[in-house]
Amino acid sequence: MCGIIGAIAQRNVVPILLQGLQRLEYRGYDSAGLVVVENNELQRIRSTGRVAELTTRSAATSGHIGIAHTRWATHGVPSERNAHPHLSSNLIAVVHNGIIENYEELRTRLTAQGSVFTSDTDSEVIAHLINSYYARGNSLLVATQAALAELVGAYAIGVVAADNPSQLICARKGSPLLLGVGIDEHFIASDVSALLPVTKNVVYLEEGDVAEVSLHGYRIFDAKGQAVERPVHVSKLSNASMELGEYRHYMQKEIHEQPQALADTLEGVCNSQSLIPGIFGAEAAAAFEQVESILILACGTSHHAGLVARYWLEEIAGIPCTVEIASEYRYRVSVPNPKSLVVTISQSGETADTLAALNHAKALGHPHTLSICNVPESALVRLSKLHFLTRAGPEIGVASTKAFTTQLAALFLLTLVLAKQRGRLSAEKEQRHLHALRHLPSAVQLVLKLEPDIAQMAERFTDKRHALFLGRGLHYPIALEGALKLKEISYIHAEAYPAGELKHGPLALVDKDMPVIAVATNDALLEKLKSNLQEVRARGGELYVFADAGTRFHSSEGVHLMQMPEHAGYLSPILHTIALQLLAYYVALQKGTDVDKPRNLAKSVTVE
Ligand code: G6P
């Protein structure tokens, strides 16, 4: 979603802004723009192309203070006039991430007062509103604070004024924003990755904070306008972790990073002899004693991780579990159970609906909250009492891969800890599970070796328009995730069904043009799945079977077999999902889509 970068320095900031935008591209965008202040004038350049095009257009521009933006359209089509920064009277320039809910009312009022709007966005009202206060003689900081007090909705903003080349104002509420601290230069950005080329020292703004940033320092004011200190963090992200290296796409790189990501996520646990609740936070043991059910809230791929966890939690830990899509839960009238542990799952920790769902759960009186998240300083982690950090490293590809498998690893740990605490895990079983977890990274390596075979299989999908994914039990959510990956990046319409539902509808769609991808694991449901697959073959459907060792599937006419290296028991979903990630990746490659930045999608969905 929208990305913001801003800079004030003694050097020309245009290259810093452009490089920052490039590093924010992964969030998803459809247009981009920048403003610099030079000779008391705003110089604005915008483009509906890629950041590379903006770079070409900016060749002759320079300045020592500026703000820039990648836009993901919400209000108003993707076009140059709707791209940020938005200006008011060529005096105030604003970049905005979020949604201003009362923009129509403000627009009507400001238009009546003489403001001239030139875009269809909600964001433009912010520029005119700030200008209306600035024109009354307020400082840029005070004018911005006054304007923010009138906004309803979510925002992260950066503001500059043509007649004030020494200050950049920024603020956040509901959308992420941080400050970058350099030596006599300062920056603002939506995430730390944009700043890595210039600084690793960052300050995370809190909800409602407004900051005045200048060459030599910055001042932060909280929602009540009180001056506050916020700690400076040294980011552990390395520049190298953001680079593509030998891979063609970030998605491919991230698929291959999974053995390491899993090893890193499980590191503390696998080195110890037994599992303790403390891995979820100091107060976890006491909280877990009190909980009698689990409520998982998440969106997209993270929601699929929750669906897998439900099978584990109920079967291994014997604890009732419900899994809900965050955007549904937050608006549904539900019956709260204060003895439920509310588990939110998110790669970014900034997904608007997941954050809102957590706040909703808290407002309903749920005291026990745990987040499983990949970004340590994210809003989600800060809002939850307990947390577990997946250590997948930065995930750039819009389609989530390593974040998903590390979430699964974390959820499996949660299952084991709860099972142990509830007396359902013998010492012997605990050791067996720990052994399986230690083996996981090498099991994943073996799946990655299937890459050339899966690439070959993918060639058969190039002319397909639809696909059906089947799984049963623990692997039904993996079928869902496989279908999601395929549709996200190859634009092939894909649906997933629990195989037992085949006869209740989707079988009507099966013919020779409908590939059916089956997750065939060597477990108690294998024979039932085989019968379901016979039903597909009998209707001329082409089968693509990802089969565990020992399942005795054979390739034959209309049956294409992908032999998985082993059966990983409870951890099998992690292995199967990686095979399906590779399938989606190679189908997308065949189709020539923009794998890392699929159309219309955003990595970080910071608006609802
Ligand atoms: C977007 C991303 C998905 C992700 C979902 C939830 O749709 O494209 O990859 O699964 O948001 O994001 P989160 O950061 O909360 O896991």
Side-chain angles (χ1 to χ4, degrees):
M1 256 181 196
C2 305
I4 290 176
I5 170 124
I8 176 163
Q10 275 154 352
R11 52 182 163 154
N12 177 16
V13 297
V14 172
I16 298 172
L17 299 179
L18 290 167
Q19 193 176 32
L21 287 185
Q22 207 176 29
R23 297 171 81 97
L24 292 169
E25 278 189 306
Y26 79 95
R27 295 167 72 91
Y29 72 109
D30 41 55
S31 52
L34 62 83
V35 144
V36 286
V37 181
E38 204 58 354
N39 303 325
N40 283 351
E41 274 183 18
L42 297 176
Q43 294 188 29
R44 176 170 68 172
I45 301 157
R46 296 182 292 176
S47 153
T48 50
R50 289 284 170 207
V51 172
E53 191 186 317
L54 191 72
T55 306
T56 313
R57 289 198 193 181
S58 311
T61 312
S62 70
H64 298 94
I65 175 170
I67 48 178
H69 188 263
T70 46
R71 173 174 188 253
W72 190 85
T74 57
H75 295 62
V77 295
S79 64
E80 200 166 311
R81 66 193 287 272
N82 286 334
H84 299 216
H86 290 292
L87 307 188
S88 179
S89 310
N90 282 326
L91 181 61
I92 300 289
V94 168
V95 287
H96 168 228
N97 175 11
I99 290 182
I100 303 305
E101 289 168 17
N102 59 337
Y103 81 101
E104 281 175 322
E105 172 197 325
L106 289 169
R107 187 173 171 132
T108 308
R109 190 185 92 201
L110 288 160
T111 305
Q113 289 167 1
S115 298
V116 179
F117 281 78
T118 57
S119 79
D120 310 314
T121 66
D122 54 332
S123 309
E124 193 182 348
V125 295
I126 307 174
H128 294 298
L129 198 54
I130 294 174
N131 196 9
S132 72
Y133 287 104
Y134 197 55
R136 288 178 221 168
N138 294 299
S139 68
L140 192 56
L141 172 70
V142 171
T144 304
Q145 284 170 317
L148 294 179
E150 292 200 50
L151 300 181
V152 177
Y155 54 77
I157 58 165
V159 188
V160 291
D163 60 355
N164 185 355
S166 55
Q167 280 179 348
L168 193 167
I169 307 296
C170 66
R172 75 156 278 179
K173 188 176 152 222
S175 295
L177 198 71
L178 47 89
L179 306 184
V181 183
I183 299 166
D184 290 337
E185 51 184 22
H186 289 89
F187 312 94
I188 65 169
S190 296
D191 69 48
V192 69
S193 61
L195 296 182
L196 286 180
V198 283
T199 185
K200 283 192 161 200
N201 299 327
V202 295
V203 177
Y204 292 92
L205 294 182
E206 304 259 327
E207 280 297 275
D209 279 358
V210 181
E212 183 189 75
V213 184
S214 55
L215 262 187
H216 307 297
Y218 56 87
R219 296 193 296 158
I220 304 176
F221 302 88
D222 67 11
K224 294 190 190 118
Q226 302 291 320
V228 282
E229 297 281 325
R230 304 278 182 228
V232 179
H233 296 264
V234 181
S235 171
K236 293 194 187 82
L237 272 188
S238 72
N239 239 335
S241 66
M242 306 289 298
E243 265 145 34
L244 203 47
E246 66 195 272
Y247 296 100
R248 248 176 112 169
H249 294 97
Y250 280 104
M251 183 176 178
Q252 188 192 24
K253 175 179 183 238
E254 286 155 10
I255 290 173
H256 280 269
E257 281 172 347
Q258 288 177 107
Q260 192 58 49
L262 286 162
D264 290 346
T265 299
L266 294 167
E267 191 186 340
V269 180
C270 289
N271 292 341
S272 66
Q273 285 313 302
S274 67
L275 290 154
I276 47 159
I279 56 175
F280 295 97
E283 293 161 33
F288 291 174
E289 282 296 341
Q290 292 169 43
V291 303
E292 55 185 35
S293 62
I294 308 282
L295 170 61
I296 297 181
L297 304 169
C299 301
T301 289
S302 298
H303 171 250
H304 292 160
L307 291 176
V308 174
R310 176 166 164 252
Y311 287 87
W312 288 333
L313 285 160
E314 299 218 343
E315 185 173 330
I316 305 173
I319 187 162
C321 175
T322 41
V323 187
E324 281 208 47
I325 291 176
S327 55
E328 286 296 307
Y329 173 77
R330 64 181 287 196
Y331 290 118
R332 184 172 81 78
V333 178
S334 56
V335 182
N337 174 2
K339 292 197 170 170
S340 229
L341 173 66
V342 178
V343 179
T344 45
I345 310 170
S346 174
Q347 187 284 125
S348 61
E350 300 290 350
T351 302
D353 281 319
T354 308
L355 290 172
L358 174 57
N359 281 327
H360 181 63
K362 284 164 85 171
L364 288 179
H366 282 107
H368 307 299
T369 54
L370 162 69
S371 61
I372 291 177
C373 189
N374 196 37
V375 180
E377 292 86 4
S378 60
L380 194 71
V381 170
R382 280 184 273 142
L383 278 174
S384 308
K385 279 221 172 120
L386 306 172
H387 68 262
F388 183 94
L389 294 176
T390 49
R391 292 173 60 196
E395 193 180 65
I396 308 292
V398 163
S400 184
T401 52
K402 60 178 181 170
F404 178 63
T405 46
T406 53
Q407 286 166 352
L408 289 178
L411 288 159
F412 193 64
L413 292 178
L414 178 65
T415 303
L416 297 184
V417 165
L418 288 169
K420 190 170 170 185
Q421 197 161 25
R422 295 162 74 84
R424 293 178 63 109
L425 194 70
S426 66
E428 187 231 300
K429 275 191 188 159
E430 181 179 1
Q431 289 312 314
R432 236 184 310 133
H433 287 308
L434 281 172
H435 180 267
L437 284 168
R438 285 184 199 112
H439 172 64
L440 190 58
S442 29
V444 170
Q445 290 286 14
L446 293 178
V447 178
L448 293 174
K449 290 214 165 91
L450 296 176
E451 187 168 8
D453 301 334
I454 297 178
Q456 213 176 357
M457 182 185 261
E459 287 171 19
R460 308 184 72 95
F461 285 74
T462 333
D463 59 345
K464 299 291 184 223
R465 299 191 53 219
H466 308 275
L468 195 59
F469 285 71
L470 300 178
R472 290 196 79 126
L474 201 49
H475 295 86
Y476 164 52
I478 296 307
L480 285 170
E481 177 58 12
L484 177 63
K485 289 288 88 92
L486 190 70
K487 76 179 90 156
E488 275 181 311
I489 61 168
S490 76
Y491 315 146
I492 292 176
H493 166 227
E495 285 195 61
Y497 269 89
E501 274 291 289
L502 198 58
K503 293 192 213 47
H504 300 291
L507 201 51
L509 299 172
V510 171
D511 61 14
K512 64 177 180 22
D513 294 323
M514 171 70 92
V516 177
I517 298 107
V519 182
T521 49
N522 198 357
D523 57 22
L525 293 170
L526 178 63
E527 291 311 318
K528 297 202 182 299
L529 180 83
K530 281 186 170 171
S531 310
N532 301 141
L533 299 187
Q534 288 300 336
E535 291 157 12
V536 172
R537 264 319 285 148
R539 272 114 195 135
E542 291 263 312
L543 279 172
Y544 295 83
V545 186
F546 288 74
D548 280 353
T551 43
R552 296 200 304 280
F553 274 96
H554 303 285
S555 288
S556 57
E557 205 197 323
V559 181
H560 309 277
L561 177 67
M562 188 57 59
Q563 188 69 61
M564 298 289 285
E566 56 185 285
H567 173 60
Y570 284 118
L571 297 175
S572 161
I574 295 181
L575 302 192
H576 273 274
T577 207
I578 290 171
L580 297 184
Q581 292 167 358
L582 284 168
L583 179 68
Y585 174 71
Y586 279 98
V587 175
L589 214 60
Q590 290 285 329
K591 299 196 76 172
T593 59
D594 192 348
V595 174
D596 287 331
K597 301 187 238 13
R599 69 183 180 205
N600 306 339
L601 298 182
K603 179 72 185 162
S604 189
V605 182
T606 50
V607 296
E608 79 168 281

